[in-house]
Amino acid sequence: MLDQRHIDAFTDMLGAKGTTIDQEAIYPHVREWRDKFIGKAPILLMPSSTEDVRNIVRYCDEHHIAIVPQGGNTGLVGGGIAGLEGRNEVILSTKRLNKHISVDAEDFSVTVDAGVTVSAIQSAAAEHGLLFPLSLASEGSCTAGGIVSTNAGGVHVIRYGTTRALTLGLEAVLPNGEVFSDLSSLRKDNTGYALNQLLIGAEGTLGVITRITFKLYPAEMQKHTFWLGVNTPQDALSLFSSARTASGDRVSVFEILPHTGLEFVLEHIEGTQNPLDTACNWYVLMEVATSAADKLLTESMDDWVAKAFEQGLIKDGAVAQSETQTSAFWKLRESMSEAQKYVGGSIKHDISVPVSKIPAFIEEATALLAEHFPSCRPTPFGHLGDGNLHFNVMQPEGADKAEYLANWEEMNRLIHDLTIKYGGSISAEHGIGTLKREELARTKSNTALSMMKAIKQAIDPKGIMNPGSLF
Amino acid sequence: MKIMVPVKRVVDYNVKVRVKSDNTGVELANVKMSMNPFDEIAVEEAIRLKEAGKAEEIVVVSVGPKLAQETIRTGLAMGADRGILVEHDGETEPLAVAKTLKAIVTEENPDIVLLGKQAIDGDNNQTGQMLAQLLGWPQGTFASEVAPEDGSLSVTREIDGGLETVKLNLPAVVTTDLRLNEPRYASLPNIMKAKRKPIDMKTPADYGVDMGTRLTVLKVEEPPQREAGIMVESVEDLVSKLKEKGVI
């Protein structure tokens, strides 16, 4: 248990600005934004340097105090929420670790403190005519440390990869208080185990990431944004393949939305309208982009559109003529989750399967759901281009929300089993946290699980780093 | 009825404009360009008039660089019928543009010239008024509603403190304000159709217009940066700081 002695020690260590025990100030840090998880913590620690983090971790190591590291608190699996399931944990928020942000334009890299937000990294890169490609709905709040710890995905994975692919080096404080520093921006480095890879996606269970070096790319100067109406996911998949070829592999976004999902958005989100006159079964939001003006790309995409239209793969569509229209298309996509909140209970899955299997998966999952949960409304949407679907299932119209949500685990098992059958993953980009711990144990092989546990044991033998996540 | 819609290619509304390092203007290299949003509203209104059976033909006109063809193409993709591009690289000042438009009006004989109240790059708000004067036509500026009547046009104008409705005899010049309508998206079938619609390529010389500039820009500067604020501990502290600064 944490007593006054520890609280005084932390306050001495970090000063008045670096700690708070005011429960009102702590509450936003222990509450998951959808209210799915409400935790508790006796104290919130807000270090402002790696040195501060090291002091905290050393103290916690010595006194067996469990730490939950937290970035922007935008996670969806409860991985950053302290005090769940009766655990006694302190929160280590990186929000004051946000001073350092330096772009090396010739190296196409940027080094930032863990608490810097993704949108701040994007802006810093843009000032140098560069792109930090990671982009997701929560980019205004989520942090560098958070996206690395969860290996965040987002909408640009098909072209630029997940956070893992964008991370060149990092610095972290290990559970024993030592600083592991590998902030190099090397593209090639084969010197034994790639230790920084272990910390990426570790959800704060192996240490606290304090600083990161990310890869940058040339900014996208010419961009074509399409909103396409299609009949089936299979047609969308065919379009994705042919667009990759026609564009010289410059498709940077390929998202799919069902008509039901769009209807929820149009009904509940102000200022939205369907860009198309005709309702289609599915919609695709596609972006093709290049770093230099390229007339040939424009012509090639024009030809692609004309051909796909002739073949009947595109039923109707619109092309953004200005950034205002581009934003309007994006608003429809980014409002998908929010709109579902107003419709009622939604049971969520964040799965991935091989891209080629998406159409078959959607079909089989929809049939399976209809059989087990009659009248539920499957609303799968997301990153068709990288095989990741947010397979959300809305409650039947007029059903009782709580009663419906009681099916959460049963439905999860059904969808996850099907995902495994398709060679997929039960958590494509949201991570495990506390939410999917049991599903991880149920679906991973014993070999994989024991390797993971051996790593955890080797690096965090006392189990003080985010003990509620993963296992 | 025939409607002529002049449109301008400008830096996209959502682009954060940056001043060139030599302070001669704003950076245009590698910057997203789009149709001036007020002109987009004008195109939309023209199409609505056509869809309502009030107009037969819509001609989209632009004075600007060769790439302004794309801007005209956007108008055609929204539903206009054909385009005219008067190719001119370099500055286009309102008077020279108004003179060019007047010459085109003389050839095309439209009943209405419908254009944005201003372009968002220069914010001049002059072209429509100058054109009306040069043609000796009535003008309805800052329109938030346009209703054709028999041989005339009722235009609701957004003025300080309210709305004013004027009745114009045709032919007339109308400039559009933001609330007139919400422009539509260019649909794929219409974008493809637009490729086959003609764009006449002209030069200022074809119309005998001198595009020479009359204004000289001395210097372009960024607005002053907002300075960092300070945190005060209490109301007393705030009051004393304000007094210190001589604000109160």
Side-chain angles (χ1 to χ4, degrees):
Chain A
M1 277 305 272
L2 208 70
D3 56 35
Q4 193 57 41
R5 176 173 56 109
H6 299 310
I7 287 172
D8 292 343
F10 285 127
T11 313
D12 283 348
M13 202 185 295
L14 303 168
K17 276 189 179 171
T19 55
T20 183
I21 54 165
D22 174 5
Q23 284 301 315
E24 218 167 289
I26 291 174
Y27 185 69
H29 290 268
V30 293
R31 170 183 174 242
E32 192 244 17
W33 61 280
R34 298 168 306 178
D35 285 333
K36 194 164 169 57
F37 302 98
I38 310 276
K40 60 179 173 48
I43 188 165
L44 168 66
L45 309 174
M46 296 163 283
S48 66
S49 66
T50 303
E51 191 56 35
D52 279 353
V53 177
R54 192 168 67 167
N55 291 335
I56 294 169
V57 177
R58 272 186 185 161
Y59 186 87
C60 291
D61 174 52
E62 199 179 311
H63 295 89
H64 283 73
I65 297 168
I67 303 170
V68 175
Q70 188 181 73
N73 194 17
T74 59
L76 296 157
V77 291
I81 304 292
L84 296 175
E85 299 160 322
R87 281 188 300 276
N88 198 5
E89 296 160 327
V90 298
I91 315 165
L92 190 160
S93 165
T94 56
K95 67 179 184 184
R96 287 175 71 227
L97 273 175
N98 62 355
K99 314 280 180 308
H100 186 80
I101 173 160
S102 72
V103 172
D104 185 336
E106 283 185 317
D107 196 44
F108 283 84
S109 71
V110 59
T111 299
V112 297
D113 278 346
V116 173
T117 62
V118 165
S119 59
I121 309 173
Q122 291 166 344
S123 307
E127 275 178 33
H128 290 80
L130 297 173
L131 172 76
F132 178 58
L134 193 96
S135 177
L136 65 175
S138 60
E139 63 199 20
S141 316
C142 68
T143 62
I147 58 166
V148 172
S149 289
T150 56
N151 185 24
V155 297
H156 283 150
V157 171
I158 34 171
R159 178 118 176 244
Y160 302 100
T162 58
T163 304
R164 188 182 295 286
L166 296 171
T167 305
L168 292 169
L170 57 80
E171 175 195 85
V173 176
L174 302 180
N176 62 5
E178 273 181 55
V179 177
F180 166 74
S181 187
D182 181 19
L183 270 175
S184 85
S185 63
L186 296 179
R187 262 58 176 188
K188 297 177 112 175
D189 176 18
N190 288 352
T191 50
Y193 299 140
L195 296 172
N196 54 20
Q197 291 294 326
L198 266 184
L199 286 140
I200 302 171
E203 303 187 10
T205 60
L206 299 178
V208 183
I209 294 171
T210 47
R211 201 169 262 198
I212 306 103
T213 302
F214 289 115
K215 227 185 253 185
L216 298 177
Y217 284 83
E220 296 182 334
M221 297 315 299
Q222 180 183 321
K223 194 162 70 180
H224 305 268
T225 309
F226 298 83
W227 181 267
L228 308 170
V230 300
N231 244 346
T232 62
Q234 181 57 51
D235 287 353
L237 183 64
S238 307
L239 287 174
F240 175 52
S241 308
S242 61
R244 278 190 74 172
T245 307
S247 66
D249 209 8
R250 285 178 283 189
V251 177
S252 51
V253 171
F254 201 96
E255 303 277 304
I256 189 168
L257 298 79
H259 183 67
T260 40
L262 181 71
E263 274 185 327
F264 297 151
V265 171
L266 298 178
E267 191 182 334
H268 296 283
I269 309 291
E270 221 186 286
T272 54
Q273 54 161 321
N274 188 351
L276 310 182
D277 294 332
T278 33
C280 299
N281 294 337
W282 296 85
Y283 302 94
V284 165
L285 174 63
M286 177 175 88
E287 279 193 358
V288 173
T290 161
S291 61
D294 185 350
K295 227 173 152 227
L296 286 175
L297 177 63
T298 313
E299 282 171 20
S300 174
M301 291 319 293
D302 283 351
D303 290 348
W304 174 81
V305 162
K307 203 170 155 203
F309 208 76
E310 246 166 53
Q311 293 171 331
L313 289 173
I314 299 176
K315 288 291 157 203
D316 195 0
V319 183
Q321 304 291 317
S322 63
E323 288 293 315
T324 308
Q325 294 190 348
T326 301
S327 312
F329 290 177
W330 273 104
K331 187 167 182 184
L332 299 174
R333 164 63 185 87
E334 306 228 297
S335 304
M336 286 296 291
S337 292
E338 196 194 334
Q340 291 172 16
K341 218 168 57 180
Y342 303 116
V343 179
S346 161
I347 300 181
K348 294 172 196 295
H349 308 86
D350 165 42
I351 59 98
S352 65
V353 294
V355 176
S356 60
K357 303 226 170 96
I358 288 233
F361 179 85
I362 292 178
E363 203 182 319
E364 197 171 337
T366 306
L368 204 58
L369 286 165
E371 184 189 321
H372 288 81
F373 304 95
S375 308
C376 71
R377 292 171 288 174
T379 315
F381 68 98
H383 322 297
L384 183 139
D386 61 32
N388 176 195
L389 288 178
H390 299 301
F391 210 109
N392 294 357
V393 187
M394 303 300 305
Q395 67 175 55
E397 238 166 311
D400 179 75
K401 185 174 167 182
E403 210 171 280
Y404 173 73
L405 289 180
N407 297 314
W408 193 290
E409 278 162 26
E410 190 191 341
M411 190 185 290
N412 274 187
R413 278 195 297 277
L414 196 67
I415 294 294
H416 290 163
D417 285 346
L418 186 68
T419 306
I420 299 294
K421 187 181 129 191
Y422 274 81
S425 164
I426 62 153
S427 186
E429 62 176 4
H430 293 167
I432 300 299
T434 47
L435 182 69
K436 293 188 184 165
R437 243 174 6 200
E438 280 156 32
E439 284 296 88
L440 182 77
R442 196 174 69 83
T443 56
K444 273 275 179 208
S445 73
N446 286 334
T447 313
L449 281 172
S450 58
M451 278 173 82
M452 285 192 199
K453 284 177 182 162
I455 291 167
K456 170 78 175 171
Q457 177 64 27
I459 297 177
D460 182 21
K462 293 185 187 167
I464 61 166
M465 296 304 306
N466 209 7
S469 274
L470 289 186
F471 309 112
Chain B
M1 195 159 76
K2 180 167 168 181
I3 305 176
M4 179 169 130
V5 187
V7 299
K8 189 175 186 185
R9 175 181 162 89
V10 298
V11 173
D12 190 278
Y13 167 74
N14 290 71
V15 168
K16 193 176 165 227
V17 174
R18 279 211 289 242
V19 172
K20 278 189 190 165
S21 52
D22 62 3
N23 295 103
T24 56
V26 298
E27 195 56 70
L28 294 178
N30 265 337
V31 170
K32 167 87 179 164
M33 306 289 280
S34 302
M35 185 189 291
N36 174 37
F38 291 106
D39 297 339
E40 210 182 346
I41 292 169
V43 174
E44 174 66 34
E45 194 63 19
I47 297 167
R48 288 186 188 187
L49 288 171
K50 190 179 169 185
E51 285 170 345
K54 309 279 186 194
E56 287 81 43
E57 192 185 23
I58 302 166
V59 185
V60 175
V61 176
S62 190
V63 183
K66 193 164 194 158
L67 282 169
Q69 276 187 96
E70 288 174 8
T71 315
I72 293 177
R73 207 60 83 183
T74 297
L76 300 180
M78 287 170 72
D81 298 293
R82 62 190 171 90
I84 300 171
L85 172 62
V86 183
E87 209 183 321
H88 174 70
D89 293 317
E91 278 300 310
T92 46
E93 286 181 0
L95 184 58
V97 173
K99 285 179 176 174
T100 311
L101 294 177
K102 182 198 172 194
I104 300 173
V105 166
T106 314
E107 278 185 4
E108 293 284 339
N109 293 310
D111 299 282
I112 305 173
V113 178
L114 193 56
L115 71 167
K117 68 171 181 178
Q118 68 197 63
I120 60 166
D121 50 1
D123 273 350
N124 288 308
N125 189 345
Q126 293 171 355
T127 306
Q129 293 88 330
M130 285 175 169
L131 177 63
Q133 171 65 25
L134 289 171
L135 289 167
W137 286 10
Q139 57 182 299
T141 50
F142 319 131
S144 63
E145 208 182 321
V146 175
E149 288 161 14
D150 207 16
S152 69
L153 205 58
S154 163
V155 174
T156 306
R157 308 180 58 226
E158 302 220 343
I159 58 169
D160 284 346
L163 298 172
E164 177 187 61
T165 304
V166 292
K167 191 171 169 182
L168 313 176
N169 289 326
L170 294 178
V173 175
V174 176
T175 75
T176 58
D177 217 321
L178 269 187
R179 270 173 283 266
L180 181 57
N181 61 49
E182 176 118 359
R184 71 194 58 198
Y185 293 98
S187 76
L188 278 182
N190 284 337
I191 290 172
M192 289 189 285
K193 262 187 240 158
K195 286 190 195 311
R196 293 189 295 272
K197 293 178 181 173
I199 298 180
D200 275 347
M201 300 297 286
K202 299 283 192 181
T203 65
D206 294 340
Y207 300 106
V209 176
D210 172 15
M211 297 297 291
T213 52
R214 291 154 185 262
L215 304 172
T216 310
V217 174
L218 300 179
K219 200 175 183 188
V220 178
E221 281 181 309
E222 296 266 3
Q225 289 256 335
R226 195 177 144 191
E227 285 171 32
I230 53 162
M231 301 291 276
V232 291
E233 298 289 335
S234 62
V235 175
E236 291 76 31
D237 209 9
L238 175 65
V239 171
S240 77
K241 281 276 187 282
L242 289 174
K243 277 189 176 150
E244 211 175 280
K245 299 263 176 202
V247 185
I248 52 171

